[in-house]
Amino acid sequence: MAPAAVTNLNVKVYPLAKDPFRYQQAIVVGTDQDYYGEVDFSLDPTNPVYLKMNRQPTGGLFSGNLPSRGDLIFTKQGELLGLMANDDYCVVLREIAITRSVRLGP
């Protein structure tokens, strides 16, 4: 996203995780309620697009019930790892390769 667009929209842009499977712990940030926490996750061998999230928080970082659908998942380095698809699975976000563009006007 262009810096001017970020400023105009008043949003925070997070970098996507370059190596999402480097660690097996993540930080969950609630989107509907004020909660956060550190959780373990594991790979789903049947579908590498998803991570199976442990519903029990680990470590000292914890506040509230987690994770749940729509929550943001970050690496401990602050990179965006994914988005909770439901209460158990996180969909890993990856960069989208632009393969074509469409001109819509002059």
Side-chain angles (χ1 to χ4, degrees):
M1 186 176 273
V6 172
T7 302
N8 291 339
L9 294 172
N10 194 27
V11 295
K12 171 79 173 150
V13 177
Y14 295 98
L16 293 178
K18 291 176 181 61
D19 186 7
F21 312 119
R22 183 174 179 191
Y23 303 104
Q24 291 183 328
Q25 291 182 327
I27 306 298
V28 176
V29 177
T31 54
D32 290 336
Q33 301 171 11
D34 292 332
Y35 62 86
Y36 53 87
E38 186 176 316
V39 295
D40 292 330
F41 66 84
S42 58
L43 298 174
D44 182 351
T46 61
N47 194 344
V49 175
Y50 292 94
L51 301 174
K52 172 80 170 138
M53 305 303 283
N54 183 352
R55 303 240 346 124
Q56 300 299 318
T58 60
L61 183 64
F62 172 75
S63 167
N65 299 322
L66 61 125
S68 62
R69 184 176 179 230
D71 289 352
L72 298 173
I73 309 299
F74 293 90
T75 65
K76 288 186 171 185
Q77 290 72 35
E79 299 168 321
L80 182 60
L81 181 61
L83 179 70
M84 290 300 294
N86 57 32
D87 290 350
D88 296 311
Y89 286 91
C90 166
V91 63
V92 177
L93 299 177
R94 302 189 189 272
E95 286 194 40
I96 299 171
I98 298 172
T99 58
R100 291 184 185 223
S101 62
V102 178
R103 188 176 173 135
L104 299 175

